[in-house]
Amino acid sequence: MNMTEMGEVVAYLLRYRCAERQPASGRKRRAAREGQLSERDVCALIDDAGDAEREALRDFLAGQGLRLRVLEAGDYPGIAPGSRYYALLPDPELEQPPLYTREPVFEALKLRQESRSELAQWYLQLWLLMHTLLYTRYNRALSDVSRYQEATFTAAELVELLRDQLETLRGLGDSAPEANLSLLDERGEDLSRRVRAFIDLQVRAGLLEALREPGDEGGEVWQQSLLGALESEQIGIHQMGHLQALAEGRAAPSEDAEREAAAAEEART
């Protein structure tokens, strides 16, 4: 794999976030597009790369705050025998460079002239509610990656859950969190439109997959992808651990260290 091929592999992974040698879900391998390799070629280049080339690829991705996770058949359900699954994930140990932007999220969810903080609230609510459907409903922990194929929901279910959440907020009256009050200004089909935009974002990011085509009896069903399950696990471990500490009344590690240092200083004096 020369430098040109490495750049083409990275470009593909940045676009689709994952590649499979032999997709097992019935999905056809992605064909080549103008200026972009096919999925078959991407997998072949990574498979055939030597140790030095793989190390160069890891270094190249690390410079962007990313890492490539390689999974074999048997690691998780849905990976075909003899296949290999490549997932591009943010590296929690590295800082993300500024080229990764939230602009697509803001543009997709905007219906009127909402502020970025309001749009961020919509995304957070929808993300949490989606995870309620993918995890809480199935009594599933974020670490239960192997159960990703069980995790399905419909857009109508997400809309209904969102509607219930807003009614709960209204019921709080003046005690409702001020940051959430903008969510109560929805009109007409706003909820359905925001849910459709949110799901489209998840599909484009490779975190959800459609199980049924629109128009089929029962409507459109969405399933969490293996990439989505891996990313949720990573978020749970590295980004949400401090929330668990707060819920249990424990100080964050940095606060513990500060208290220990203060106690040591006091003992010395």
Side-chain angles (χ1 to χ4, degrees):
M1 180 164 52
N2 59 39
M3 293 301 293
T4 298
E5 291 169 333
M6 184 184 300
E8 291 175 321
V9 167
V10 171
Y12 179 96
L13 292 171
L14 287 174
R15 171 64 180 84
Y16 294 109
R17 296 286 308 282
C18 62
E20 293 182 79
R21 186 192 289 171
Q22 299 172 23
S25 60
R27 175 180 67 82
K28 294 182 179 179
R29 280 184 293 195
R30 302 180 185 99
R33 297 169 55 186
E34 185 177 353
Q36 180 178 286
L37 297 176
S38 70
E39 187 171 10
R40 181 199 299 268
D41 290 340
V42 167
C43 293
L45 283 169
I46 300 174
D47 287 342
D48 296 339
D51 291 342
E53 293 167 333
R54 287 174 180 266
E55 185 64 28
L57 177 60
R58 282 193 290 268
D59 290 344
F60 188 89
L61 292 171
Q64 302 174 72
L66 301 168
R67 65 185 177 91
L68 184 63
R69 187 166 176 184
V70 183
L71 301 171
E72 306 282 351
D75 288 339
Y76 290 107
I79 303 177
S83 184
R84 189 171 287 160
Y85 184 95
Y86 298 99
L88 186 65
L89 296 166
D91 192 322
E93 305 299 326
L94 300 174
E95 183 176 353
Q96 296 292 300
L99 63 91
Y100 298 104
T101 172
R102 299 181 180 91
E103 288 304 321
V105 173
F106 295 140
E107 288 302 316
L109 294 182
K110 181 182 290 186
L111 297 183
R112 287 175 289 279
Q113 296 299 317
E114 300 95 340
S115 67
R116 288 189 169 205
S117 62
E118 291 171 339
L119 294 171
Q121 279 294 324
W122 277 111
Y123 186 88
L124 177 61
Q125 289 293 324
L126 288 164
W127 188 87
L128 291 171
L129 293 174
M130 179 184 72
H131 278 69
T132 297
L133 295 174
L134 295 177
Y135 289 89
T136 307
R137 178 164 69 169
Y138 294 99
N139 193 28
R140 175 178 171 231
L142 289 173
S143 58
D144 290 334
V145 175
S146 62
R147 296 177 58 193
Y148 73 97
Q149 291 174 313
E150 302 173 24
T152 64
F153 68 95
T154 65
E157 289 176 315
L158 186 52
V159 170
E160 188 61 28
L161 197 58
L162 178 59
R163 185 171 288 114
D164 291 344
Q165 175 76 353
L166 298 185
E167 288 304 315
T168 299
L169 283 173
R170 286 193 182 92
L172 294 176
D174 294 338
S175 61
E178 185 176 352
N180 291 340
L181 294 180
S182 62
L183 302 178
L184 303 179
D185 295 334
E186 85 285 353
R187 312 169 191 171
E189 293 297 310
D190 282 3
L191 297 189
S192 296
R193 293 169 63 189
R194 291 196 199 273
V195 164
R196 284 196 298 270
F198 173 79
I199 290 176
D200 183 59
L201 282 170
Q202 303 302 304
V203 172
R204 284 160 50 194
L207 306 179
L208 290 178
E209 297 173 335
L211 283 185
R212 190 175 299 154
E213 293 297 324
D216 286 355
E217 186 178 353
E220 201 165 30
V221 177
W222 302 100
Q223 176 188 286
Q224 188 179 40
S225 66
L226 177 53
L227 176 68
L230 290 167
E231 187 156 294
S232 290
E233 177 192 37
Q234 183 167 288
I235 289 171
I237 293 172
H238 297 283
Q239 274 80 43
M240 298 182 72
H242 67 287
L243 297 179
Q244 182 177 354
L246 289 173
E248 295 175 355
R250 294 186 284 109
S254 59
E255 295 173 332
D256 288 338
E258 290 174 3
R259 289 176 183 174
E260 291 173 5
E265 180 66 26
E266 184 176 348
R268 285 195 296 269
T269 58

